[in-house]
Amino acid sequence: MAETGTIAIAIDGPNGAGKSTIARCVAQTLGYAYVDTGAFYRAIGMFAVESGADPDNADEVAACLPRIDISVSYEGSRQRTIINGRDVTDDIRSQQAAEAASKVARVPSLRGKVVELARSIAKGENVVMDGRDIGTVVLPDAALKIYLDASLEIRAFRRVWELEQAGRPAEYATVLYEISRRDHRDKTREASPLRIAEGAVVIDSSRMNAEQVCARIVEELAAVTGRG
């Protein structure tokens, strides 16, 4: 957890709610470090699949962990995710990596590895961190906890647009189904299920743009800390 004198903002929410976009915007506005924990799960999930492990098999996934060295670097305000010396920042944005991440995230030992890494990054500096269990598990003492949500349909539309912009077009119906399945896995898993953290501010971004959500979070921070 962040040390005394530093500020942590925890942003949780389901897939496609815009957490990464908003977290980066808030971090840039405030001059804080941005930490994308979802990238860690995507990277590990991708590594497991590439290693021949079944992401649905907890034992096979756990067996991969000793062979994984994961770290981050920053290119301006953009987080670069490195696994075993390989920069996988762009590779892990695929829908396949997202699916693998949701499956391997159910493995307790893997979640422990990610929590340790995330807390080490947050230690000693102001951070904006997004994920599924930041306010509930990773940084429960965060100065500000946000639960960012949006309707399933809006989240699917945003994901399709994101994939198209990256040159990976996808069918809306397929993406809608995959996000719905991921929501179910994230909310029902035994290890750190997705839920609203105690004291979190719930923001529905369905009818808001990124700038509006970012401004709202900065306002909420100022209200609770007097800083912003």
Side-chain angles (χ1 to χ4, degrees):
M1 288 174 278
E3 295 180 346
T4 302
T6 61
I7 291 178
I9 300 175
I11 302 180
D12 293 312
N15 186 43
K19 298 185 301 297
S20 296
T21 299
I22 299 304
R24 281 195 295 268
C25 178
V26 173
Q28 289 177 337
T29 299
L30 298 172
Y32 289 8
Y34 163 57
V35 184
D36 174 10
T37 63
F40 305 153
Y41 291 105
R42 286 170 178 256
I44 295 172
M46 187 179 73
F47 178 88
V49 171
E50 291 180 348
S51 299
D54 180 355
D56 283 309
N57 188 310
D59 290 336
E60 291 186 14
V61 172
C64 290
L65 297 183
R67 294 184 285 124
I68 294 175
D69 177 28
I70 189 166
S71 61
V72 299
S73 64
Y74 286 90
E75 186 179 81
S77 60
R78 188 186 185 199
Q79 174 181 303
R80 310 292 306 186
T81 304
I82 315 296
I83 190 163
N84 294 346
R86 171 188 169 195
D87 187 333
V88 296
T89 305
D90 297 324
D91 298 336
I92 60 177
R93 302 325 300 178
S94 69
Q95 191 64 24
Q96 291 78 9
E99 279 288 300
S102 182
K103 293 175 180 178
V104 302
R106 294 176 290 181
V107 180
S109 57
L110 184 155
R111 297 199 70 84
K113 185 182 185 77
V114 171
V115 169
E116 181 180 354
L117 174 60
R119 285 178 175 169
S120 70
I121 296 172
K123 187 177 182 180
E125 62 181 316
N126 299 325
V127 298
V128 181
M129 188 178 296
D130 75 300
R132 300 290 192 282
D133 61 350
I134 307 305
T136 55
V137 176
V138 183
L139 300 175
D141 297 326
L144 177 64
K145 301 175 189 177
I146 300 292
Y147 188 88
L148 185 63
D149 206 351
S151 71
L152 176 61
E153 294 75 16
I154 290 293
R155 289 188 283 128
F157 175 81
R158 289 172 176 170
R159 181 60 178 156
V160 169
W161 182 86
E162 180 185 64
L163 290 170
E164 288 178 346
Q165 295 303 302
R168 298 192 294 268
E171 292 290 335
Y172 173 81
T174 300
V175 172
L176 183 74
Y177 173 68
E178 290 173 343
I179 290 179
S180 177
R181 284 203 310 167
R182 184 168 186 184
D183 283 354
H184 178 73
R185 283 198 299 265
D186 289 345
K187 292 177 180 179
T188 60
R189 68 186 179 217
E190 292 185 12
S192 305
L194 171 65
R195 59 186 175 84
I196 301 173
E198 182 178 355
V201 176
V202 179
I203 300 176
D204 187 326
S205 69
S206 298
R207 297 172 181 252
M208 302 172 70
N209 61 37
E211 291 74 18
Q212 290 171 326
V213 178
C214 179
R216 169 76 185 280
I217 293 175
V218 172
E219 289 173 0
E220 293 289 348
L221 179 68
V224 298
T225 67
R227 296 166 63 176

